[in-house]
Amino acid sequence: ELKVEQNPLFLSMQEGKNYTIYCNYSTTSDRLYWYRQDPGKSLESLFVLLSNGAVKQEGRLMASLDTKARLSTLHITAAVHDLSATYFCAVDLYNDMRFGAGTRLTVKP
Amino acid sequence: GAGVSQTPSNKVTEKGKYVELRCDPISGHTALYWYRQSLGQGPEFLIYFQGTGAADDSGLPNDRFFAVRPEGSVSTLKIQRTERGDSAVYLCASSLKGSGSGYNEQFFGPGTRLTVL
């Protein structure tokens, strides 16, 4: 059975600090997506990673994909309060996407 | 341009009742997906439409759940004899998949929060 595992599930960090969220998956796929969800809101697309070695950056967030290791990372640089949200990775299985359980990030001043 | 819209935003019903949830995808998006998200969880796939047909309905939990997309645009998710365990946020997403796009970035609607009392 396909598993998409994110860790940590909960992350509390200070403003200005760096941290990495990990997404491991158990099937062959070279397409992975990262989404952000604010409380009570829907999912907002952050990154689309379409090949092994893909790296995308937007502001303080950088995502990468290693399809051989079946691992994607979301790196946060110099966190700010506005980044507080839940972050999901999702593996593209052609007909559907399988989501991780999410990482709930809280950035404290 | 308009994003994915869903109605109603909230639906409260009683156990055993029938409900319909509507999704209006982004214009031109041929692929449409329904997901269910329980509190503290990631979205769980229910069904995928390519055009008018259900290309994959393997995520529907049982035969009380049914979805249609008769004209290849708006979709309705129908739940019969609702149970308390059906309470969740139902998300709809659409994408350009199957329209020449090489990937499947999905754009999500705001969701319908279903509460079964």
Side-chain angles (χ1 to χ4, degrees), chain A residues 31 33 35 37 42 45 94, chain B residues 37 97 102 104-106 109:
Chain A
R31 298 179 179 182
Y33 309 83
Y35 288 86
Q37 187 174 38
S42 192
S45 179
Y94 185 72
Chain B
Q37 187 176 25
K97 181 174 185 283
N104 191 23
E105 185 181 13
Q106 296 180 18

Side-chain angles (χ1 to χ4, degrees), chain A:
Chain A
E1 181 185 337
L2 168 66
K3 291 184 180 180
V4 181
E5 296 181 338
Q6 285 183 239
N7 71 83
L9 297 181
F10 297 93
L11 175 58
S12 179
M13 57 191 298
Q14 297 291 124
E15 279 191 329
K17 297 294 186 182
N18 304 332
Y19 207 84
T20 299
I21 298 170
Y22 297 88
C23 174
N24 291 89
Y25 54 98
S26 63
T27 192
T28 301
S29 176
D30 58 1
R31 298 179 179 182
L32 189 137
Y33 309 83
W34 283 94
Y35 288 86
R36 168 181 172 145
Q37 187 174 38
D38 291 289
K41 305 292 185 182
S42 192
L43 283 81
E44 172 193 353
S45 179
L46 292 177
F47 297 108
V48 177
L49 303 169
L50 300 178
S51 62
N52 186 40
V55 177
K56 296 278 185 73
Q57 182 163 5
E58 181 72 34
R60 301 174 188 274
L61 300 177
M62 183 172 70
S64 66
L65 178 62
D66 181 342
T67 59
K68 294 180 181 178
R70 299 180 182 176
L71 170 68
S72 180
T73 61
L74 181 66
H75 186 73
I76 303 156
T77 301
V80 292
H81 178 70
D82 285 352
L83 290 179
S84 296
T86 300
Y87 293 85
F88 293 96
C89 64
V91 177
D92 190 340
L93 296 180
Y94 185 72
N95 276 354
D96 69 86
M97 287 207 290
R98 297 294 176 89
F99 285 79
T103 297
R104 185 174 298 178
L105 171 65
T106 304
V107 181
K108 298 181 177 179

Side-chain angles (χ1 to χ4, degrees), chain B residues 46-63:
Chain B
L46 295 177
I47 186 170
Y48 152 57
F49 286 90
Q50 185 61 255
T52 60
D56 185 346
D57 64 359
S58 62
L60 294 178
N62 52 58
D63 61 7

Side-chain angles (χ1 to χ4, degrees), chain B residues 72-84:
Chain B
S73 178
V74 171
S75 176
T76 304
L77 178 65
K78 308 180 180 189
I79 310 174
Q80 298 177 324
R81 305 183 304 280
T82 52
E83 299 177 357
R84 291 193 180 88

Side-chain angles (χ1 to χ4, degrees), chain B residues 1-112:
Chain B
V4 178
S5 62
Q6 292 185 246
T7 55
S9 55
N10 280 284
K11 176 70 177 179
V12 180
T13 190
E14 293 180 343
K15 180 175 179 291
K17 299 289 188 182
Y18 168 83
V19 297
E20 290 189 351
L21 312 179
R22 175 188 167 110
C23 172
D24 220 316
I26 293 172
S27 178
H29 281 193
T30 58
L32 185 146
Y33 305 79
W34 283 99
Y35 294 87
R36 177 168 69 176
Q37 187 176 25
S38 300
L39 191 63
Q41 302 293 319
E44 173 193 6
F45 169 76
L46 295 177
I47 186 170
Y48 152 57
F49 286 90
Q50 185 61 255
T52 60
D56 185 346
D57 64 359
S58 62
L60 294 178
N62 52 58
D63 61 7
R64 295 187 298 105
F65 288 75
F66 189 71
V68 296
R69 195 186 185 199
E71 298 179 357
S73 178
V74 171
S75 176
T76 304
L77 178 65
K78 308 180 180 189
I79 310 174
Q80 298 177 324
R81 305 183 304 280
T82 52
E83 299 177 357
R84 291 193 180 88
D86 298 336
S87 297
V89 175
Y90 289 81
L91 295 167
C92 175
S94 69
S95 79
L96 284 168
K97 181 174 185 283
S99 302
S101 170
Y103 60 93
N104 191 23
E105 185 181 13
Q106 296 180 18
F107 297 87
F108 284 79
T112 294

